[in-house]
Amino acid sequence: MTGRVTGPVQRAREALASGLPPGEVYAALAAGADFRDTALVVCDALGIPRADAEHRLRGTEELWGDFAPGDEELLGELLDLAAVFDVHVTLDEPGEQVRRLLGRSMGALGGIGSGVASGIGRKLATGRLPEAYTVLVGLPVRGRGDPARYRAELIAAGELLAAWLPPDDSEAAGRVREARERCARRDPSGTRPTDPRAR
């Protein structure tokens, strides 16, 4: 039986297809290879355009000199955390409408920590709408925010999201249902949920 010789991009595609997350694929391929070039290989395998991948990597250039052979796993985790391997998705119109509503609810918060904002932004960009919705429902509205608009956007998003989810995704449906119930208990003029257990 003759072995098939494959290039690094094909090996990355095969590893991703097997279910390995991008950070782990990076760690496996980066051993003995150029760290930056390997990041571009993984991005290529994920379908991220080269110009976009180069742009993302420019924000991580200070990392390359700090790592040595043996650090591939840690570097893969850091690149994943830096959103280098995020695959941005285009949704159908109902999904895009949910994404817009969730984005507007963020704008009504009156401010949000940069780390939280980055995390929500990644979830929205990669189409993880149930995760973004769940996080947004739990955030406090600051003094300069608009609690009524924040709640209205989330209620509308929750209704659309519940209808948009695939019928066989019971786990996501359960998370969204719980978050919608929490959202419904929020006081439209304030930031705290109205929970009888808190009385």
Side-chain angles (χ1 to χ4, degrees):
M1 182 171 155
T2 308
R4 182 165 58 97
V5 178
T6 60
V9 174
Q10 183 60 31
R11 291 201 302 275
R13 287 186 183 130
E14 290 170 356
L16 290 165
S18 76
L20 276 181
E24 291 183 23
V25 174
Y26 174 87
L29 293 177
D34 181 86
F35 286 167
R36 189 177 188 281
D37 288 349
T38 304
L40 291 172
V41 163
V42 176
C43 287
D44 192 355
L46 287 164
I48 298 168
R50 175 56 67 100
D52 190 3
E54 293 274 7
H55 175 73
R56 296 181 191 194
L57 286 173
R58 277 198 289 277
T60 65
E61 284 173 348
E62 70 277 5
L63 293 175
W64 306 111
D66 297 332
F67 290 91
D71 292 335
E72 294 86 3
E73 187 175 339
L74 177 57
L75 185 50
E77 291 174 5
L78 289 173
L79 290 170
D80 191 53
L81 285 171
V84 170
F85 302 136
D86 280 4
V87 178
H88 296 184
V89 299
T90 300
L91 303 172
D92 58 17
E93 181 49 36
E96 290 292 348
Q97 191 173 354
V98 172
R99 183 149 56 184
R100 287 192 295 270
L101 286 165
L102 294 178
R104 291 204 294 264
S105 75
M106 281 182 71
L109 283 168
I112 183 173
S114 60
V116 177
S118 174
I120 295 172
R122 290 183 68 185
K123 289 174 173 52
L124 292 176
T126 55
R128 293 177 287 164
L129 303 185
E131 295 178 33
Y133 179 74
T134 301
V135 173
L136 279 163
V137 164
L139 293 177
V141 181
R142 298 189 177 182
R144 59 183 178 274
D146 186 339
R149 183 165 70 88
Y150 160 79
R151 183 172 180 267
E153 303 284 15
L154 284 180
I155 287 173
E159 291 173 356
L160 284 172
L161 183 56
W164 178 76
L165 285 172
D168 58 345
D169 195 345
S170 56
E171 183 181 347
R175 290 200 309 269
V176 169
R177 182 171 56 251
E178 181 185 349
R180 288 180 69 195
E181 290 168 357
R182 285 166 51 211
C183 183
R185 292 195 300 267
R186 291 188 80 127
D187 180 347
S189 64
T191 62
R192 300 282 181 184
T194 305
D195 189 340
R197 293 173 298 181
R199 291 177 183 169

